[in-house]
Amino acid sequence: MAVRAVPSCRFCAAPLRHTFVDLGMSPLCESFLPADQLDRMEAFYPLHVRVCDRCWLVQLPEYVSGQEIFTEYAYFSSYADSWLAHARAYTAQMIDRFELNTQSQVVEVGSNDGYLLQNFVQRGIPALGIEPAANVAQAALERGIPTQVRFFGRETARDLIAQGRRADLLAGANVMAQVPDLNDFVVGLKILLAPRGVITIEFPHLMTLVEGNQFDTIYHEHFSYFSLTCVEKIFGAHGLTVFDVDELPTHGGSLRIYAKHDTDATHPVTSTLEELRARELRAGVSGLEYYASFGERVKATKRKLLDFLVDARRRGKSLAGYGAPGKGNTLLNYCGIRTDFLDFTVDRNPYKHGRFTPGTHIPIYPPARLREARPDYVLILPWNLRDEIMSQHGYIREWGGQFVIPIPELRVYR
């Protein structure tokens, strides 16, 4: 009988022998289906997440290549108002803190539809986006945002240097988790960064994922899940020093790290970073015990949600979803929630209208469908945006409808 090979860590190459959580089999979370493909076979891949006991990187093996996932993509950043506000605030903060001006160069890796760089362009600051998904990059180009359609790594960085570009501010928001070759990506950052430039990278914080039971943020498009402790190891291995960090509310709890060349003495390490580093160590992120109980908590959450849905259906209640985000598709597939529980879901992104969720085949409509159907319960799948969504769709309460939040604990808002 063949013995299954033990995968190795994508950063340090140590064997991955320890499970963080196993969510079974799931399709790619952004592979929405048109109606004429519902009878075709879908590809499902393992969602078996492991943790490296050498560098503490939590990770999924590369079951599917980045090229297959991101060449065409269904996620457009500009459909979340709170995310646009976050981008505007970031722009103002970076311009002020690092004294960016018309002579500076801003580069964003994983620039999506230009949601962020448009703010720099409006301020007259030269900006360039690097985005592998051609359909998403086209939206940025139509906004007048200079964008190159390609994946980022050392080869792209060297090409940009040859074009005379060096980044005074090199930004990436929720992109590093989506990179299968972490070392190539960080080397690219090192190459492209100006001698006194600054890198800012945002990513969901592993500690909030664990503390908030955010298992639905695990999907194939996210290859890695980071603590500050782990990111400092990765950047340090490639001649970059993390010197500051912001804790952010975005995506259920994120970090924004600030990094520089390790030869740059102009940005001292802050006490904020030292405090968070110490807090992670106290929590135990450098020990296997920290990761061991997560899987059982996930199973308990699944049982609670299914109990609620079964009871609601038995009482004759109607249910719909709000949103069709990647995290929602992990939740739906792991819990086995299909149209026997949710009649449909709605989403602001026109790209998804008329399509069906991967694996579970729940139809996706514009938000106006909620007024027509008047469901008794609306399950908010992008729970990190619950306040924005409940504010925008408060009319649901007019007919006695209630909002349901599945994460971190099941909660019903009347």
Side-chain angles (χ1 to χ4, degrees):
M1 184 174 69
V3 177
R4 180 180 295 179
V6 176
S8 58
C9 176
R10 65 170 40 90
F11 167 57
C12 72
L16 297 174
R17 303 186 185 278
H18 305 284
T19 293
F20 175 58
V21 67
D22 188 348
L23 300 176
M25 302 290 287
S26 188
L28 299 183
C29 74
E30 297 286 348
S31 56
F32 298 95
L33 302 172
D36 61 2
Q37 292 184 11
L38 290 177
D39 293 334
R40 298 183 186 179
M41 183 175 67
E42 286 181 82
F44 281 62
Y45 305 92
L47 272 179
H48 186 173
V49 186
R50 296 172 171 89
V51 58
C52 176
D53 60 7
R54 180 187 296 172
C55 69
W56 307 110
L57 178 64
V58 174
Q59 58 199 282
L60 270 172
E62 188 183 356
Y63 296 113
V64 189
S65 72
Q67 284 80 4
E68 182 174 347
I69 294 172
F70 297 115
T71 299
E72 180 174 357
Y73 204 47
Y75 179 74
F76 290 73
S77 296
S78 292
Y79 289 107
D81 293 343
S82 58
W83 186 245
L84 292 178
H86 173 76
R88 289 191 296 270
Y90 168 86
T91 301
Q93 183 181 343
M94 295 305 107
I95 291 172
D96 181 61
R97 179 172 180 178
F98 300 115
E99 300 180 345
L100 302 176
N101 56 46
T102 57
Q103 303 305 308
S104 304
Q105 176 68 64
V106 176
V107 177
E108 184 186 11
V109 294
S111 53
N112 203 262
D113 60 5
Y115 74 99
L116 171 64
L117 293 182
Q118 63 185 347
N119 299 295
F120 288 100
V121 170
Q122 289 165 6
R123 300 282 287 268
I125 297 173
L128 174 68
I130 307 296
E131 170 55 50
N135 66 313
V136 179
Q138 183 59 37
L141 290 167
E142 290 171 0
R143 285 192 172 110
I145 312 301
T147 304
Q148 295 190 13
V149 181
R150 60 191 307 181
F151 287 88
F152 183 79
R154 69 186 79 196
E155 180 180 348
T156 296
R158 287 171 180 153
D159 287 348
L160 292 173
I161 293 295
Q163 297 168 20
R165 297 181 188 268
R166 279 192 180 275
D168 299 296
L169 176 64
L170 183 49
N174 304 308
V175 62
M176 194 164 74
Q178 299 177 332
V179 175
D181 191 341
L182 272 179
N183 292 308
D184 179 65
F185 179 81
V186 178
V187 168
L189 297 177
K190 170 77 172 176
I191 291 169
L192 187 57
L193 188 65
R196 292 196 174 183
V198 171
I199 298 167
T200 69
I201 299 289
E202 297 181 23
F203 51 87
H205 190 193
L206 178 67
M207 277 187 66
T208 59
L209 187 156
V210 171
E211 293 170 1
N213 196 30
Q214 298 169 3
F215 68 89
D216 58 340
T217 60
I218 294 168
Y219 36 84
H220 299 102
E221 287 81 345
H222 285 176
F223 298 103
S224 304
Y225 306 84
F226 302 102
S227 62
L228 173 65
T229 301
C230 178
V231 166
E232 287 196 284
K233 291 178 186 290
I234 296 170
F235 276 61
H238 298 294
L240 295 167
T241 297
V242 178
F243 66 88
D244 198 6
V245 63
D246 294 329
E247 294 184 77
L248 308 170
T250 53
H251 296 283
S254 298
L255 298 183
R256 176 191 296 142
I257 59 102
Y258 297 77
K260 62 178 181 177
H261 290 292
D262 54 13
T263 55
D264 178 7
T266 59
H267 302 291
V269 173
T270 68
S271 59
T272 302
L273 183 134
E274 292 172 341
E275 189 279 330
L276 179 57
R277 183 194 296 148
R279 199 184 337 144
E280 284 195 346
L281 292 176
R282 288 195 301 271
V285 299
S286 295
L288 286 173
E289 296 83 1
Y290 179 78
Y291 305 91
S293 64
F294 186 68
E296 290 305 314
R297 291 169 53 204
V298 169
K299 293 175 186 176
T301 299
K302 175 178 179 176
R303 289 190 288 266
K304 288 178 184 177
L305 178 56
L306 288 175
D307 284 346
F308 171 81
L309 295 174
V310 169
D311 177 68
R313 282 301 201 190
R314 282 176 175 163
R315 290 186 288 115
K317 302 298 184 181
S318 58
L319 297 104
Y322 187 96
K327 61 166 57 75
N329 289 322
T330 292
L331 181 78
L332 296 174
N333 279 284
Y334 173 63
C335 295
I337 298 170
R338 297 177 174 81
T339 51
D340 49 349
F341 289 121
L342 291 187
D343 298 324
F344 61 89
T345 191
V346 301
D347 198 278
R348 291 179 63 186
N349 185 350
Y351 180 91
K352 300 176 184 180
H353 297 165
R355 296 179 182 246
F356 296 77
T357 56
T360 54
H361 297 184
I362 296 170
I364 307 168
Y365 299 108
R369 183 63 175 250
L370 291 173
R371 287 188 183 274
E372 300 169 9
R374 299 166 67 92
D376 297 304
Y377 294 104
V378 176
L379 178 65
I380 297 182
L381 296 171
W383 47 261
N384 54 302
L385 301 176
R386 63 179 181 270
D387 292 338
E388 175 182 332
I389 292 167
M390 288 192 294
S391 174
Q392 291 173 345
H393 302 279
Y395 58 83
I396 288 170
R397 295 188 173 98
E398 294 174 3
W399 60 78
Q402 300 175 48
F403 296 100
V404 181
I405 309 297
I407 304 290
E409 293 289 340
L410 182 71
R411 185 171 179 183
V412 178
Y413 291 82
R414 291 175 170 80

